[in-house]
């Protein structure tokens, strides 16, 4: 658009013309109301001052963010990170790291001294409703087996509640091999897949609508065997069925007969296995980790991977599974500072208040206090520094077991720079292979669990249900599992002037006896985390 003004035949100086032009440009700013109607007209100079909002803003934002270069967070512990990068070498020695654990004199021992026997008459049917994630459900299932034995009752295949965090509705038969479960335990307890027709009314929906006489909702955490005999057995005798909800952690780890403890061990370490398609996919991914092929890698994720006879000629690679427990719920619940700046702090605080309404008890402590006590989960960068200090180098094959990392690729960029041979489900499995488990958190966790059980070394970024379950399962099989010394690492990372050599020495010395050595279970501790001496015999 051209601006015209009348010059009355006079020649205006150039400076005056410039001032007049400037005033014209400033009018929309000084008098916005006068020019606001024009801002919505056809494209003009005014549209630069009040640009229209894009109609498809979400698509536009995604398109702008879709760049080849991935956003990265600056390493929080930059001096250590820089030293760790410099010490990485493609042919670095990792002496001792891959050496299997020595024979510690313990063997799996899950059979009771008494011959297994079923009661002549079942007292009735036990139903349990389990919440939580995969590993909480595993523990609850095995406890339900023990409760059924205590009561001489028939166990109905446990009902798995919809996961409130991941919204996963997978059932027992979707995750576990139900026929194997029943067959392994058939001499110990009676198990049915469904209630008989006469009890078909006893459903999850039935108990959700009102208080029912057949529902037990007062079972204390870590209840004794006697509590079940006193409170649940009478319900079974009166109605023939009892539904225990909630049930998680409702059976003690102490003062139980050894035959009951051994039955729990048998259930968790022998009876509970995943469905065949999870085991088959897990075996394929383990094979790809042990026998990486440039041909397979060139195919990309859209092609089905094939295991060839070349595996027989290759020397198998060793690999580490890292359970990177760094999702949004964990980050918010910990109340720690993870270096994401003010925006991240506000976002986590808002999420924490929305989900837990201020019930995060450790939020009253400072980040420094929490870290010095070992109560802050390790970030991907920090777990990478731990692995580097222990001697793992950039030739280490690392499998990332994690559902979703808070902060996405930007959060794990430092870890990927330290360990470029890092894989996960998406990079190893084809789109077709992933289709059956896509969006199902329990099956994704089951696949990670299976691969973790077949790795040379397992390490978790912070204590949690999966860490505890795998620590116990791998102890049972005498497999190497690194248990991070959280208090030590918290204090080391607080020391901003620590040198790499001092950090490395402290890490190595602090983890000498935290790599899978047998630790006998103490009172109140879980047999699923510490299987000796309940599930193992000293020979």
């Amino acid at each position: 658009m051209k601006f015209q003004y009348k010059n009355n035949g006079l020649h205006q100086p150039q400076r005056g013309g410039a001032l007049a032009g400037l005033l014209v440009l400033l009018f929309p700013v000084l008098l916005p109301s006068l020019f606001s109607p024009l801002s919505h007209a056809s494209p003009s100079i005014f549209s630069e001052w009040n640009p229209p909002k894009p109609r498809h803003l979400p698509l536009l934002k995604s398109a702008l963010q879709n760049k080849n270069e991935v956003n990265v967070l600056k390493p929080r512990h930059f001096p250590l990170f820089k030293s760790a990068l410099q010490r990485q070498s493609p042919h670095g020695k990792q002496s001792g790291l891959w050496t299997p654990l020595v024979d510690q004199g313990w063997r799996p021992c899950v059979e009771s001294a008494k011959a297994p026997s079923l009661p002549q008459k079942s007292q009735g049917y036990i139903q349990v409703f389990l919440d939580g994630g995969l590993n909480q459900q595993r523990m609850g299932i095995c406890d339900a087996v023990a409760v059924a034995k205590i009561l001489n009752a028939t166990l109905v295949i446990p009902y798995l509640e919809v996961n409130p965090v991941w919204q996963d509705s997978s059932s027992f038969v979707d995750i576990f091999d139900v026929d194997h479960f029943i067959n392994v335990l058939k001499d110990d307890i009676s198990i049915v897949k469904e209630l008989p027709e006469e009890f078909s009314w006893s459903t999850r929906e039935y108990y959700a609508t009102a208080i029912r006489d057949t529902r037990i909702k007062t079972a204390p955490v870590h209840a004794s065997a006697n509590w079940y005999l006193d409170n649940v057995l009478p319900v079974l005798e009166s109605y023939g069925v009892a539904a225990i909800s909630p049930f998680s952690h409702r059976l003690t780890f102490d003062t139980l007969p050894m035959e009951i403890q051994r039955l729990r061990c048998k259930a968790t370490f022998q009876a509970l296995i995943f469905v065949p398609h999870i085991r088959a996919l897990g075996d394929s991914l383990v094979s790809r980790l042990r026998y990486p092929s440039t041909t397979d890698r060139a195919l990309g994720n859209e092609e089905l991977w094939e295991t060839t006879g070349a595996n027989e000629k290759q020397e198998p690679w060793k690999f580490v599974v890292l359970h990177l427990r760094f999702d949004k719920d964990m980050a918010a619940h910990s109340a720690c500072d993870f270096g994401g700046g003010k925006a991240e702090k506000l976002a986590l605080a808002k999420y924490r208040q929305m989900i837990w309404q201020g019930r995060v008890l450790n939020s009253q402590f400072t980040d420094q206090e929490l870290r010095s006590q070992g109560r802050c989960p390790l970030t991907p960068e920090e777990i990478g520094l731990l692995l580097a200090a222990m001697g793992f180098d950039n030739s280490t094959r690392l499998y990332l077991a994690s559902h979703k990392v808070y902060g996405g690729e930007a959060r794990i960029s430092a870890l990927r720079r330290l360990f470029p041979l890092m894989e996960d489900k998406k990079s190893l499995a084809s789109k077709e292979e992933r289709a059956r488990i896509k969006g199902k958190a329990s099956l994704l966790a089951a696949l990670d669990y299976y691969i973790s059980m077949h790795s040379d070394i397992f390490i978790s970024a912070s204590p949690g249900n999966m860490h505890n379950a795998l620590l116990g399962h791998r102890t049972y099989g005498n497999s190497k599992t690194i248990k991070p010394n959280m208090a030590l690492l918290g204090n080391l990372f607080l020391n901003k002037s620590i040198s790499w050599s001092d950090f490395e020495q402290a890490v190595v010395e602090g983890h000498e006896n935290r790599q899978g050595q047998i630790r006998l279970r103490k009172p109140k501790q879980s047999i699923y985390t510490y299987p000796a001496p309940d599930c193992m015999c000293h020979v």
Side-chain angles (χ1 to χ4, degrees), residues 358-372:
R359 295 194 299 272
V360 179
L361 299 180
N362 59 16
S363 60
Q364 61 187 304
F365 298 100
T366 65
D367 179 72
Q368 185 170 352
E369 290 171 331
L370 292 171
R371 289 191 177 277
S372 64

Side-chain angles (χ1 to χ4, degrees), residues 35 44 97 103 120 141 157 162 190 194 206 260 279 316 323 325 345 373 416 468 506 515 520-521 532 538-539:
F35 289 86
S44 71
L97 284 173
D103 188 337
Q120 291 183 349
I141 291 165
I157 288 297
V162 175
S190 177
E194 295 179 350
Y206 174 77
I260 299 297
R279 304 201 306 270
H323 179 224
R325 187 172 175 258
K345 287 182 181 178
Q373 297 168 17
R416 195 179 297 280
N468 293 338
Q515 301 186 35
L520 300 183
R521 186 179 72 85
H538 193 262
V539 294

Side-chain angles (χ1 to χ4, degrees), residues 321-335:
V321 168
L322 167 60
H323 179 224
L324 195 54
R325 187 172 175 258
F326 203 79
D327 55 63
K328 189 173 184 178
D329 284 282
M330 179 281 305
H333 198 269
S334 67

Side-chain angles (χ1 to χ4, degrees), residues 453-529:
M453 280 302 302
H454 289 79
S455 66
D456 298 281
I457 299 172
F458 173 80
I459 182 171
S460 182
S462 63
N465 289 320
M466 184 166 179
H467 166 88
N468 293 338
L470 278 161
L471 176 63
H473 209 153
R474 290 175 65 87
T475 297
Y476 182 79
N478 200 46
S479 300
K480 184 171 284 190
T481 305
I482 298 173
K483 185 178 180 181
N485 187 331
M486 303 298 288
L488 169 68
L489 292 167
N491 283 287
L492 290 177
F493 287 128
L494 284 172
N495 185 353
K496 300 303 180 183
S497 61
I498 191 171
S499 66
W500 175 258
S501 58
D502 289 342
F503 177 78
E504 189 175 33
Q505 181 180 353
V507 165
V508 171
E509 291 177 353
H511 291 83
E512 283 180 346
N513 297 312
R514 302 177 70 89
Q515 301 186 35
Q517 289 82 358
I518 294 286
R519 282 179 167 75
L520 300 183
R521 186 179 72 85
K522 298 177 181 178
K524 297 184 179 180
Q525 287 184 331
S526 168
I527 64 172
Y528 307 124
T529 306

